[in-house]
Amino acid sequence: MKDFLKLQEDSTLRAEELLPEAGINKKREISRLIFEICKRDGLEPKQILSEEKIKNFEQAKKSLLALRYPLSFSKAPASSYYLPKLDLQALPDAEIKQEEFYPKNLFIEKEVLNSPLAKRALDLFPKAKLTVLEKKTFCGSPNYSKRKENLVIIKENFDFIKPCPCTKNCFCCGYNLVNLGFGCAYECSYCFLQQYQNLHAVVLPANIEDFLSKIDGAKLRKGPFPHIRIGSGEFTDSLLFDHITEYSSAIVNFFKGRPEYFEFKTKSANIGNLLKLEALPNIVIGWSVNPQNIISSAEPLTQPLKNRLAAAAKAARHGYKTAFHFDPVIIHENWRENYLKVIEEIKNTVPAESIAWISIGTLRFSRELKKCIESRFKDNKILDGEFLLDFDGKMRYPKTLRKEVYQTLGPALKKAFPQTYVYLCMEEADLQI
């Protein structure tokens, strides 16, 4: 692996060489631009610019922006370029270990110590150190990478069901969320939880019956669909821990005969409990999909694409509806061919009549998350793309690139699955397909 800490140091020195009289903030922007260009193109900082040609900060920054953002330079406003201080040691590296989830510590709130979930956890993890919590007083390691060492089982009292937090000025698909868990055992390099989650543990509520009881009486959004859609998977994978929680059984039983649709969103193949149940027409199992090269590099520890599609085919044969989410689409070399191949693989593997909906969304993230990604995943490739601060304050590909993605994948999906509703997720309304 390339020594990125050395590259950071050399980029800082190069900025000093080019602009010895510049202030700290100006050198910070220049060193970051040099680093990002060198990381992307495999260059050394000494190869970037020439002392003889660079006369001042404005000239240096303009030249570097043109190199770093060749597609959007001169088209995007200056305020859209986010150039914070580069600190690759701000956070510990991600720990990519392919191993079964087995926490070292088990924290159970006293009120739910005798719950079915707590009893299953105690049976499944007999070697875990048990701590009974009088209240929600768990204080874990400040290292996000250590979150899998701690399993916390609680009684949730407040956060039951809510509308999907759709960004202002985005097309709203009317989704509703039930947050059954907080924290994930996967290590997707783009995951917002690494910046958002301040409780470094996997947290599971024992009182799923309270979540389900709140659905009646809740103000649920409908969106463009003929039915109300409810799903889990915002703060954790919907099925990754299902062999522990057995939430799927309670959910399927609850939704029998109801008008709403419920979706489990997952990158796993953990559908064993669902296959033991009678499939219902309003239960959907949705898979996030990407080309295998992106799964291998940006979604480590998740199931390979072939395993996700095999699980989807098995679920469909059992009678469940399926769904697929091309989200996040990550632009990379040969992205068109690779994503079109995924569409073809779905078509050849999963019965088209089982697919309830398909969404598309390009990679977007907060400015704070950019710093987390580059610190925890120093050799990542996803940040090599051109990301600008966009209409919602998030970092996004330029609109022309996003439009190209949607004009490529949208028609291809509609042609392959003409009876399936295809829509964009978290995107500007005027970019609909």
Side-chain angles (χ1 to χ4, degrees):
M1 182 189 296
K2 186 176 179 63
D3 189 343
F4 293 104
L5 293 176
K6 180 66 163 56
L7 179 58
Q8 174 182 277
E9 180 182 345
D10 290 347
S11 298
T12 301
L13 292 174
R14 184 59 175 158
E16 181 68 40
E17 291 173 351
L18 290 169
L19 299 165
E21 303 300 323
I24 294 175
N25 290 336
K26 291 181 178 180
K27 287 177 183 175
R28 178 203 73 197
E29 291 189 350
I30 296 301
S31 63
R32 170 172 279 283
L33 285 167
I34 291 173
F35 173 86
E36 292 189 10
I37 294 166
C38 290
K39 175 181 176 294
R40 181 194 64 193
D41 298 340
L43 300 174
E44 295 297 327
K46 282 284 188 181
Q47 298 174 270
I48 303 295
L49 303 184
S50 167
E51 290 93 331
E52 294 76 23
K53 295 181 180 180
I54 297 301
K55 304 301 181 183
N56 54 51
F57 167 74
E58 288 73 19
Q59 186 183 29
K61 183 175 179 179
K62 184 176 180 180
S63 298
L64 290 170
L65 285 173
L67 289 171
R68 177 62 183 90
Y69 299 94
L71 297 175
S72 51
F73 180 69
S74 78
K75 301 175 184 177
S79 60
S80 64
Y81 299 109
Y82 179 55
L83 304 172
K85 179 183 177 182
L86 180 66
D87 183 5
L88 298 184
Q89 292 182 296
L91 295 169
D93 290 353
E95 297 181 4
I96 311 300
K97 298 178 182 178
Q98 191 67 257
E99 58 188 5
E100 183 180 357
F101 175 71
Y102 197 112
K104 293 181 180 179
N105 303 299
L106 186 56
F107 299 86
I108 303 178
E109 205 171 358
K110 185 176 181 179
E111 192 172 355
V112 294
L113 186 58
N114 293 317
S115 66
L117 175 56
K119 290 178 179 178
R120 280 194 298 273
L122 289 167
D123 288 341
L124 288 169
F125 310 118
K127 296 180 181 179
K129 178 184 176 182
L130 172 64
T131 300
V132 178
L133 302 175
E134 291 293 332
K135 297 180 180 179
K136 295 180 178 67
T137 54
F138 168 76
C139 182
S141 164
N143 184 350
Y144 177 78
S145 295
K146 300 297 184 182
R147 67 198 181 282
K148 291 177 282 187
E149 295 182 358
N150 304 303
L151 174 58
V152 184
I153 297 176
I154 65 167
K155 179 181 179 181
E156 180 58 60
N157 295 312
F158 303 105
D159 189 16
F160 294 109
I161 186 166
K162 65 178 183 180
C164 179
C166 187
T167 302
K168 185 179 180 181
N169 297 324
C170 279
F171 166 77
C172 181
C173 69
Y175 208 74
N176 302 277
L177 289 165
V178 174
N179 288 317
L180 294 171
F182 190 68
C184 185
Y186 291 147
E187 276 288 6
C188 300
S189 60
Y190 53 77
C191 181
F192 80 100
L193 288 176
Q194 61 191 315
Q195 176 266 319
Y196 182 85
Q197 185 174 350
N198 58 10
L199 181 65
H200 298 148
V202 172
V203 183
L204 300 173
N207 54 322
I208 185 175
E209 65 281 356
D210 291 332
F211 285 81
L212 298 176
S213 69
K214 298 294 182 181
I215 292 175
D216 287 324
K219 294 181 179 179
L220 302 175
R221 295 190 303 194
K222 188 174 182 181
F225 291 82
H227 38 255
I228 291 173
R229 297 187 307 154
I230 304 170
S232 57
E234 181 185 20
F235 295 129
T236 187
D237 185 287
S238 293
L239 292 176
L240 175 58
F241 301 117
D242 194 57
H243 60 291
I244 303 170
T245 65
E246 297 185 2
Y247 289 156
S248 59
S249 178
I251 290 169
V252 171
N253 289 332
F254 177 82
F255 278 90
K256 188 173 185 178
R258 293 183 66 92
E260 308 94 347
Y261 275 49
F262 188 92
E263 180 184 19
F264 297 94
K265 284 186 178 179
T266 188
K267 292 176 185 171
S268 78
N270 195 16
I271 61 172
N273 285 336
L274 284 163
L275 296 181
K276 297 174 185 177
L277 304 169
E278 177 188 356
L280 303 178
N282 58 338
I283 297 295
V284 181
I285 312 175
W287 276 270
S288 171
V289 290
N290 254 309
Q292 185 55 49
N293 64 308
I294 296 298
I295 291 174
S296 298
S297 61
E299 299 177 355
L301 308 185
T302 67
Q303 286 293 314
L305 178 64
K306 66 177 182 179
N307 291 8
R308 300 183 201 184
L309 298 188
K314 188 179 293 186
R317 289 195 297 270
H318 192 75
Y320 287 106
K321 292 290 186 182
T322 63
F324 294 95
H325 302 282
F326 287 74
D327 193 357
V329 171
I330 296 175
I331 297 175
H332 59 283
E333 187 177 4
N334 300 322
W335 67 265
R336 293 174 188 81
E337 295 89 341
N338 291 341
Y339 279 102
L340 291 175
K341 183 180 178 183
V342 173
I343 295 173
E344 192 66 22
E345 290 183 65
I346 295 173
K347 183 179 179 181
N348 293 337
T349 307
V350 183
E353 62 272 15
S354 78
I355 304 176
W357 51 76
I358 300 174
S359 72
I360 315 171
T362 50
L363 179 61
R364 65 271 180 195
F365 48 88
S366 70
R367 64 185 75 190
E368 293 81 9
L369 183 56
K370 175 178 180 176
K371 293 183 286 186
C372 288
I373 295 171
E374 64 188 8
S375 181
R376 298 189 70 241
F377 299 88
K378 295 177 177 60
D379 60 346
N380 81 85
K381 300 295 183 184
I382 60 175
L383 293 182
D384 293 345
E386 293 193 26
F387 290 97
L388 306 172
L389 288 171
D390 215 292
F391 69 98
D392 55 355
K394 291 183 180 178
M395 313 264 331
R396 293 176 178 263
Y397 294 115
K399 192 169 184 176
T400 53
L401 285 182
R402 294 174 0 237
K403 185 175 181 179
E404 189 175 347
V405 168
Y406 303 141
Q407 289 182 341
T408 299
L409 301 189
L413 285 165
K414 290 181 177 181
K415 181 179 179 181
F417 309 105
Q419 304 304 314
T420 299
Y421 185 73
V422 180
Y423 65 100
L424 300 188
C425 183
M426 291 287 190
E427 191 51 270
E428 289 183 272
D430 64 348
L431 280 178
Q432 289 309 299
I433 50 178

